[in-house]
Amino acid sequence: MIYREAGQFKTTYADDASMLPLREDRWFIWGLLAVAFIGVPLLANDYWIGAILTPFLIYSLASIGLNIITGVAGQLNLGAAAFMAVGAFSAYNFQLRIPELPLIINFLFSGFIAAGVGVIFGLPSLRIKGLYLAVTSLAAQFLFEWLFTNVEWFYNYVSSGSVTPAPMDVFGIAIDTPISKYLLTLSIVAVLTLVARNLLRSRIGRQWRAIHDMEVSAEVIGIKMAQTKLLAFAVSSFFLGVAGALYGFTYLGSIEAAAFDLHQSFIILFMIIIGGMGSLVGSFIGAAFILLFPIFMSQVMHATLSGVVDQGMLGNLELLIFGALIIFFLIVEPAGLARLWQVVKNKLRMWPFPH
């Protein structure tokens, strides 16, 4: 009874088309932001902030990027980590070769570099789709892994192939602690999530969804296929590029090609499948599930089975249970965990009446 439209009247078209028409949704978002920006820095320790929450935010941003091209526009991409690598190495080289460039502008330019690369690898989507397009994205993955491993200019001729970014600052404020890195990451993710939300509600977002549903029908009603598809690749790659820059600068503290391998691409793909294809909320839920649930499961299993089961067998058992849970969730709700969240919200709106 506390989650109702009843009594919340809208007197203008702008109110009717607002992003969060229910005041309860607005209160929830503002409360969530307050907890993230104020509560977490005050209450969480450095381990939770640096090792769990910061990568969670970065993976959520990467999942949003992949969800735009795969979940919304329907173009299968199996090389998300390759575009993250483009963003990370671009940010490092901008910092190295143009040191006077502000950090935020550096990350934006890195995203634009990744967007340009995404457009190039999106060109085959004008002719092919489905698994054939997936092979093209895999080619990007292998190409950039090789490029950033063997072309020494990208990592400034360091013999190890792993480079460390210089100390960061934003408007003169040093970004050198887990809390400051977390707040920088959170600010960028919050702004880009807002941008993605507005994009998906705009004419461009509706065109992407039309292409996802049926390309022939979308073309018949006047949607320019080449322009719309390439824009989807550009926007998706921009988000992935910024996520890659954050991954190297605020989480790892170093940049190397091995950090953006095919395994990383599949992790991001699993996040959007489990969270919900085409859903921004699902991007966050999927990232939380993939990152946090194995930690929870590991703690529970070590507390209950340690000393009873061999440690090596315990690790394999965790992977088996985690894989079985993923399959279970996909069978129970193929639309992802975001769909379960939507069902819960609908139940709240109808409670206590049956639905």
Side-chain angles (χ1 to χ4, degrees):
M1 298 179 67
I2 62 173
Y3 190 70
R4 293 282 198 275
E5 295 96 337
Q8 300 188 36
F9 302 109
K10 303 174 183 67
T11 57
T12 65
Y13 287 113
D15 290 340
D16 192 50
S18 62
M19 186 183 306
L20 298 171
L22 293 183
R23 72 169 69 96
E24 289 84 0
D25 288 335
R26 294 193 292 271
W27 292 344
F28 176 76
I29 293 299
W30 283 115
L32 191 63
L33 289 174
V35 169
F37 277 100
I38 300 173
V40 168
L42 290 177
L43 301 176
N45 58 35
D46 286 350
Y47 170 75
W48 267 91
I49 290 174
I52 296 178
L53 294 178
T54 298
F56 159 70
L57 291 170
I58 294 170
Y59 276 116
S60 297
L61 183 60
S63 298
I64 290 173
L66 185 59
N67 231 335
I68 287 173
I69 189 63
T70 299
V72 178
Q75 310 299 306
L76 188 57
N77 181 2
L78 299 182
F83 301 101
M84 290 180 68
V86 171
F89 278 94
S90 297
Y92 169 74
N93 280 281
F94 277 131
Q95 187 190 57
L96 176 69
R97 304 176 200 287
I98 316 177
E100 62 275 9
L101 193 67
L103 185 66
I104 300 299
I105 304 300
N106 180 345
F107 287 169
L108 287 177
F109 283 0
S110 301
F112 289 134
I113 295 292
V117 173
V119 169
I120 294 172
F121 280 91
L123 290 173
S125 69
L126 306 181
R127 288 283 194 174
I128 58 178
K129 57 184 178 180
L131 292 176
Y132 299 100
L133 184 60
V135 171
T136 303
S137 62
L138 277 178
Q141 177 68 51
F142 295 134
L143 171 64
F144 285 109
E145 273 193 62
W146 178 90
L147 196 67
F148 294 133
T149 301
N150 294 281
V151 179
E152 298 177 346
W153 182 87
F154 288 110
Y155 51 86
N156 199 31
Y157 305 95
V158 176
S159 59
S160 65
S162 176
V163 293
T164 302
M168 300 178 289
D169 71 89
V170 176
F171 306 121
I173 302 173
I175 309 296
D176 55 1
T177 63
I179 290 178
S180 60
K181 292 178 180 178
Y182 163 79
L183 289 174
L184 173 64
T185 304
L186 177 60
S187 301
I188 293 175
V189 171
V191 170
L192 289 182
T193 301
L194 180 62
V195 171
R197 174 65 174 165
N198 280 288
L199 267 176
L200 297 185
R201 296 173 68 246
S202 69
R203 176 178 57 86
I204 295 170
R206 291 192 292 272
Q207 289 177 346
W208 288 340
R209 293 190 187 279
I211 290 176
H212 176 276
D213 292 340
M214 186 172 292
E215 290 190 13
V216 175
S217 298
E219 192 168 13
V220 167
I221 64 175
I223 294 177
K224 298 178 181 179
M225 301 300 291
Q227 175 182 318
T228 306
K229 281 187 176 182
L230 293 181
L231 182 59
F233 273 97
V235 173
S236 170
S237 300
F238 174 84
F239 278 75
L240 288 166
V242 175
L246 290 172
Y247 191 76
F249 277 66
T250 64
Y251 174 50
L252 293 181
S254 63
I255 299 171
E256 59 179 329
F260 304 98
D261 58 5
L262 185 60
H263 178 257
Q264 191 81 284
S265 292
F266 281 122
I267 285 177
I268 300 169
L269 181 63
F270 293 154
M271 286 177 180
I272 69 169
I273 292 174
I274 293 170
M277 300 282 276
S279 167
L280 292 184
V281 173
S283 298
F284 286 91
I285 295 175
F289 183 85
I290 293 291
L291 287 179
L292 301 181
F293 191 78
I295 298 173
F296 168 77
M297 187 171 59
S298 175
Q299 294 295 325
V300 170
M301 293 189 67
H302 278 79
T304 56
L305 298 179
S306 182
V308 179
V309 180
D310 180 74
Q311 290 296 321
M313 180 64 70
L314 197 61
N316 292 328
L317 190 60
E318 290 173 11
L319 293 176
L320 287 173
I321 294 175
F322 185 58
L325 282 172
I326 291 175
I327 295 172
F328 171 76
F329 277 124
L330 292 178
I331 292 173
V332 172
E333 186 48 78
L337 297 178
R339 174 58 184 163
L340 296 180
W341 170 246
Q342 189 63 44
V343 169
V344 170
K345 288 177 66 176
N346 290 336
K347 293 289 186 183
L348 283 173
R349 293 165 80 172
M350 296 298 295
W351 186 88
F353 304 103
H355 180 60

